[in-house]
Amino acid sequence: MRRFAIWLSAADRRTEVPPAGLLPGRYVRKRPYIYSDAEIRDLVRIAGQLASPAGLKGRTYSTIFGLLSVTGMRVSEVVALDREDVDLDEGILRIRRTKFGKSRLVAVHDSTRQVLADYARERDRVVRRPAAAAFFLSEGGDRVTGWAARYNFAKVSREVGLRAPAGERRHGRGPRLHDMRHRFAVCTLLRWYRAGLDVEREIPKLATYLGHVHVNETYWYIEAVPELLELAARRLESPKEVEP
């Protein structure tokens, strides 16, 4: 209501804007679901089987889901990619339309670059006259939307058993597409801790890669995942080497 009042006050100065913090409350972030490697493989595989007249739908969503899992990008960033944003020679993605307006470059592994290149060839074979400059297209030549990505992810999730079948009620709706981003962040931090790296020194790199506004957003993962919290506690308890 406060945000609506701020907007309305621009047209009607008589509008009273409630002060910030008027009502007590605290935003509680949902605990992330960390997909296993097997679950990621199943999601990508079943997504590749999504039916469509020319067969591009399955290829599109299996590529999108795979890209989300290996880069930690937001789904809004992936579907906003234009062809010019994807450098298939260097393996660099340019993120321009971000949640907080921060542009960044995302480097991908050569295996990921190859998958994107294969998808681009298939996309261009099926869609000869695209209606949008988007990298990820529907068979009609339009940009894939975030809504469509989430819908098809829910459909695929039911197929692999991560969500209840349609029409069956359970507590909660199951893992989300956004949890791919959480998985990437958590797996990166776990790998650093297990390798004995100085996570405090490395974590700004992860924050930059993910496009976080503040590094505190990245530190949240440590307290949100029990295994990470335990590893962080062990590191604090262990004596640090004194540099000469």
Side-chain angles (χ1 to χ4, degrees), residues 10-225:
D12 187 350
R13 294 186 178 181
R14 296 173 299 173
T15 303
E16 181 179 350
V17 179
L22 177 64
L23 299 176
R26 181 175 179 270
Y27 173 66
V28 179
R29 297 181 68 173
K30 183 176 180 181
R31 183 173 176 177
Y33 180 85
I34 310 304
Y35 297 97
S36 67
D37 291 346
E39 288 171 338
I40 294 295
R41 286 194 295 269
D42 287 342
L43 287 167
V44 172
R45 177 176 58 82
I46 296 300
Q49 298 173 11
L50 289 169
S52 62
L56 182 63
K57 182 177 182 179
R59 193 69 173 267
T60 296
Y61 287 108
S62 64
T63 305
I64 287 177
F65 297 161
L67 183 62
L68 290 170
S69 71
V70 299
T71 63
M73 293 170 62
R74 302 177 181 94
V75 64
S76 59
E77 295 171 343
V78 169
V79 299
L81 288 171
D82 285 341
R83 296 184 185 215
E84 65 179 6
D85 298 325
V86 182
D87 188 335
L88 294 174
D89 294 323
E90 299 296 330
I92 300 292
L93 309 180
R94 183 175 62 174
I95 313 302
R96 295 181 291 117
R97 301 167 189 154
T98 68
K99 181 178 179 181
F100 298 103
K102 291 181 64 177
S103 298
R104 69 187 191 279
L105 299 178
V106 172
V108 298
H109 190 270
D110 187 62
S111 59
T112 303
R113 182 197 62 78
Q114 187 59 56
V115 170
L116 293 174
D118 292 343
Y119 169 76
R121 283 192 291 271
E122 181 65 12
R123 175 204 64 204
D124 293 344
R125 184 189 69 81
V126 174
V127 183
R128 298 299 179 89
R129 296 181 178 179
F135 184 82
F136 291 106
L137 294 174
S138 67
E139 289 187 0
D142 297 315
R143 183 185 301 274
V144 171
T145 66
W147 180 90
R150 294 183 186 91
Y151 172 83
N152 283 284
F153 177 76
K155 184 177 180 179
V156 170
S157 295
R158 288 194 291 269
E159 290 289 327
V160 301
L162 287 172
R163 291 189 176 209
E168 181 179 324
R169 292 187 177 182
R170 291 183 186 174
H171 179 66
R173 296 183 178 180
R176 304 163 299 162
L177 186 55
H178 192 68
D179 285 318
M180 295 279 197
R181 180 171 170 85
H182 295 325
R183 177 187 186 270
F184 176 84
V186 169
C187 288
T188 300
L189 290 169
L190 284 173
R191 186 166 62 249
W192 286 346
Y193 272 115
R194 290 167 179 168
L197 298 179
D198 185 343
V199 175
E200 289 187 9
R201 180 176 296 179
E202 299 293 326
I203 207 167
K205 300 177 184 177
L206 179 59
T208 300
Y209 191 86
L210 291 172
H212 283 160
V213 173
H214 196 282
V215 72
N216 288 347
E217 294 292 314
T218 317
Y219 273 112
W220 170 77
Y221 289 104
I222 295 177
E223 66 181 59
V225 179

